[in-house]
Amino acid sequence: MPRSFSIGEFADELGVHVQTVKRWCRNDDLDYTRTPGGERRIPHRELRRLAGDTRPTDRVALYARVSSHGQKDNGDLDRQLDRLTDYAHDHGWSVENTYTDVGSGRNEDRRGLNSLLDNIQEADYGRVLVTYEDRLTRFGFSYLKRYFDCYGVTVTVIEDETDKSAQEELVDDLIKLVASFSGKRYGMRSSKKQQVVNTVESAVK
């Protein structure tokens, strides 16, 4: 969990009087939350901000994702990580952490991605490397990028070419969506639902 400070702890860390920190809070000069008991808690990022600390962009985290365990077993996930690691080393960057997922890029409930989002606030790195945008997320990449930017973390996409596996994954996602919607409309076990899925599958493949 990201660290936070009480008023007194924050004052000690900065070497200022407690009343100064309280005044900053009253004037909205500090971002803080309150505990159920009403105590102010100030996130560590505020300490870094006031201390003039910036994220070290030569210290990076890696994020890699494949859509299926079959791809993982075939070494696709390891190859992504190897490519990202080589890229970091070629630029003289230190790899501080690695996050991975096996699952669809449209799935928001991914353990690796959620860990990355949880850690990003207080991370000791200033850059996240991914091979392609859709490895991080199928939709909403720009929103995630803006979220990282808020904490001084840059998202770097290392490949310029189109991800050849992305088209296959997109087709699979489309078929799953069609199956879900047609199942809700016609029934998951209905022949009509299967007919719709088969038609779409034939068209896109």
Side-chain angles (χ1 to χ4, degrees), residues 21-50:
V21 178
K22 289 182 178 179
R23 185 177 70 252
W24 289 343
C25 291
R26 288 196 302 270
N27 295 339
D28 292 327
D29 294 327
L30 283 178
D31 184 21
Y32 66 90
T33 59
R34 287 189 182 271
T35 66
E39 180 185 359
R40 292 187 183 97
R41 301 295 299 184
I42 305 170
H44 188 263
R45 67 176 181 273
E46 288 295 270
L47 180 64
R48 302 182 69 148
R49 180 177 66 84
L50 292 181

Side-chain angles (χ1 to χ4, degrees), residues 3 9-10 20 24 26 32 35 43-44 49 51 55 63 65 72 74 88 100 103 137 139 167 170 177 184 186-187 190:
R3 186 181 177 187
E9 291 170 339
F10 195 80
T20 300
W24 289 343
R26 288 196 302 270
Y32 66 90
T35 66
H44 188 263
R49 180 177 66 84
R55 296 295 179 94
Y63 180 83
R65 179 186 64 81
K72 180 181 179 181
N74 288 335
T100 62
T137 181
F139 305 107
Q167 184 175 355
L170 184 59
L177 286 172
K184 290 177 182 178
Y186 302 112
S190 70

Side-chain angles (χ1 to χ4, degrees), residues 117 120 136-137 140-155:
L117 295 177
I120 206 70
L136 188 62
T137 181
F141 177 84
S142 61
Y143 294 107
L144 276 182
K145 186 174 182 298
R146 286 181 62 185
Y147 175 79
F148 291 149
D149 286 345
C150 288
Y151 294 103
V153 177
T154 301
V155 179

Side-chain angles (χ1 to χ4, degrees), residues 62-89:
L62 313 180
Y63 180 83
R65 179 186 64 81
V66 292
S67 60
S68 68
H69 286 281
Q71 289 179 330
K72 180 181 179 181
D73 293 341
N74 288 335
D76 292 352
L77 189 62
D78 289 336
R79 280 189 286 274
Q80 277 188 54
L81 291 174
D82 288 343
R83 177 71 185 95
L84 293 169
T85 300
D86 289 345
Y87 187 92
H89 291 168

Side-chain angles (χ1 to χ4, degrees), residues 88-106:
H89 291 168
D90 288 346
H91 287 75
W93 298 338
S94 171
V95 177
E96 300 299 315
N97 212 339
T98 297
Y99 304 87
T100 62
D101 279 308
V102 178
S104 171
R106 62 184 176 85

